[in-house]
Tab-separated table of all heavy atoms in Angstrom:
chain	number	residue	atom	x	y	z
A	90	VAL	N	-43.440	-196.441	54.083
A	90	VAL	CA	-43.349	-197.849	53.680
A	90	VAL	C	-43.692	-197.917	52.200
A	90	VAL	O	-44.655	-197.290	51.747
A	90	VAL	CB	-44.265	-198.760	54.519
A	90	VAL	CG1	-45.720	-198.315	54.440
A	90	VAL	CG2	-44.125	-200.216	54.089
A	91	ARG	N	-42.875	-198.630	51.437
A	91	ARG	CA	-42.963	-198.601	49.978
A	91	ARG	C	-42.875	-200.014	49.394
A	91	ARG	O	-42.427	-200.949	50.063
A	91	ARG	CB	-41.813	-197.758	49.407
A	91	ARG	CG	-41.665	-196.378	50.052
A	91	ARG	CD	-40.336	-195.734	49.663
A	91	ARG	NE	-40.092	-194.511	50.404
A	91	ARG	CZ	-40.470	-193.289	50.026
A	91	ARG	NH1	-41.118	-193.134	48.889
A	91	ARG	NH2	-40.203	-192.221	50.760
A	92	MET	N	-43.295	-200.115	48.151
A	92	MET	CA	-43.096	-201.330	47.365
A	92	MET	C	-42.042	-200.997	46.309
A	92	MET	O	-42.355	-200.392	45.273
A	92	MET	CB	-44.409	-201.773	46.715
A	92	MET	CG	-45.499	-202.089	47.716
A	92	MET	SD	-47.075	-202.550	46.948
A	92	MET	CE	-46.655	-204.166	46.275
A	93	PRO	N	-40.768	-201.339	46.559
A	93	PRO	CA	-39.694	-200.888	45.668
A	93	PRO	C	-39.784	-201.441	44.252
A	93	PRO	O	-39.338	-200.785	43.310
A	93	PRO	CB	-38.425	-201.376	46.380
A	93	PRO	CG	-38.873	-202.511	47.246
A	93	PRO	CD	-40.265	-202.145	47.686
A	94	ALA	N	-40.387	-202.608	44.090
A	94	ALA	CA	-40.430	-203.214	42.756
A	94	ALA	C	-41.262	-202.396	41.785
A	94	ALA	O	-40.983	-202.376	40.584
A	94	ALA	CB	-40.987	-204.636	42.854
A	95	ILE	N	-42.284	-201.673	42.292
A	95	ILE	CA	-43.144	-200.900	41.398
A	95	ILE	C	-43.146	-199.407	41.747
A	95	ILE	O	-43.887	-198.623	41.145
A	95	ILE	CB	-44.586	-201.439	41.415
A	95	ILE	CG1	-45.167	-201.414	42.839
A	95	ILE	CG2	-44.636	-202.842	40.860
A	95	ILE	CD1	-46.621	-201.850	42.893
A	96	GLY	N	-42.334	-199.014	42.722
A	96	GLY	CA	-42.188	-197.605	43.048
A	96	GLY	C	-43.407	-196.961	43.678
A	96	GLY	O	-43.652	-195.771	43.482
A	97	VAL	N	-44.177	-197.738	44.444
A	97	VAL	CA	-45.397	-197.234	45.078
A	97	VAL	C	-45.170	-197.016	46.568
A	97	VAL	O	-44.588	-197.859	47.252
A	97	VAL	CB	-46.567	-198.224	44.869
A	97	VAL	CG1	-47.788	-197.815	45.698
A	97	VAL	CG2	-46.933	-198.296	43.399
A	98	THR	N	-45.617	-195.864	47.091
A	98	THR	CA	-45.578	-195.581	48.527
A	98	THR	C	-46.929	-195.941	49.130
A	98	THR	O	-47.967	-195.420	48.700
A	98	THR	CB	-45.268	-194.100	48.793
A	98	THR	OG1	-43.985	-193.785	48.237
A	98	THR	CG2	-45.249	-193.802	50.286
A	99	LEU	N	-46.930	-196.815	50.130
A	99	LEU	CA	-48.165	-197.286	50.743
A	99	LEU	C	-48.638	-196.379	51.876
A	99	LEU	O	-49.833	-196.318	52.172
A	99	LEU	CB	-47.984	-198.708	51.275
A	99	LEU	CG	-47.625	-199.773	50.236
A	99	LEU	CD1	-47.421	-201.115	50.920
A	99	LEU	CD2	-48.711	-199.865	49.179
A	100	GLY	N	-47.707	-195.708	52.548
A	100	GLY	CA	-48.089	-194.842	53.652
A	100	GLY	C	-46.904	-194.079	54.195
A	100	GLY	O	-45.752	-194.512	54.069
A	101	THR	N	-47.176	-192.926	54.808
A	101	THR	CA	-46.141	-192.058	55.369
A	101	THR	C	-46.607	-191.514	56.714
A	101	THR	O	-47.776	-191.141	56.864
A	101	THR	CB	-45.840	-190.889	54.420
A	101	THR	OG1	-45.298	-191.413	53.191
A	101	THR	CG2	-44.842	-189.913	55.028
A	102	VAL	N	-45.689	-191.487	57.686
A	102	VAL	CA	-45.970	-190.952	59.020
A	102	VAL	C	-44.865	-189.970	59.388
A	102	VAL	O	-43.681	-190.240	59.152
A	102	VAL	CB	-46.056	-192.076	60.077
A	102	VAL	CG1	-46.165	-191.491	61.484
A	102	VAL	CG2	-47.248	-192.982	59.801
A	103	MET	N	-45.240	-188.833	59.972
A	103	MET	CA	-44.280	-187.835	60.437
A	103	MET	C	-44.265	-187.821	61.964
A	103	MET	O	-45.308	-187.973	62.604
A	103	MET	CB	-44.629	-186.464	59.878
A	103	MET	CG	-44.673	-186.424	58.362
A	103	MET	SD	-45.165	-184.821	57.679
A	103	MET	CE	-43.668	-183.878	57.972
A	104	LEU	N	-43.057	-187.620	62.544
A	104	LEU	CA	-42.902	-187.704	63.991
A	104	LEU	C	-41.870	-186.698	64.464
A	104	LEU	O	-40.792	-186.582	63.863
A	104	LEU	CB	-42.463	-189.125	64.386
A	104	LEU	CG	-42.171	-189.393	65.855
A	104	LEU	CD1	-43.464	-189.352	66.663
A	104	LEU	CD2	-41.497	-190.752	66.023
A	105	GLY	N	-42.161	-185.984	65.534
A	105	GLY	CA	-41.199	-185.068	66.121
A	105	GLY	C	-40.184	-185.793	66.984
A	105	GLY	O	-40.544	-186.684	67.761
A	106	ILE	N	-38.908	-185.426	66.835
A	106	ILE	CA	-37.847	-186.020	67.663
A	106	ILE	C	-38.033	-185.565	69.110
A	106	ILE	O	-38.340	-184.402	69.372
A	106	ILE	CB	-36.458	-185.608	67.139
A	106	ILE	CG1	-36.266	-186.121	65.710
A	106	ILE	CG2	-35.345	-186.126	68.046
A	106	ILE	CD1	-35.011	-185.593	65.029
Side-chain angles (χ1 to χ4, degrees):
V90 57
R91 310 167 188 270
M92 299 178 70
I95 58 176
V97 172
T98 299
L99 299 178
T101 296
V102 173
M103 302 177 74
L104 177 70
I106 298 171

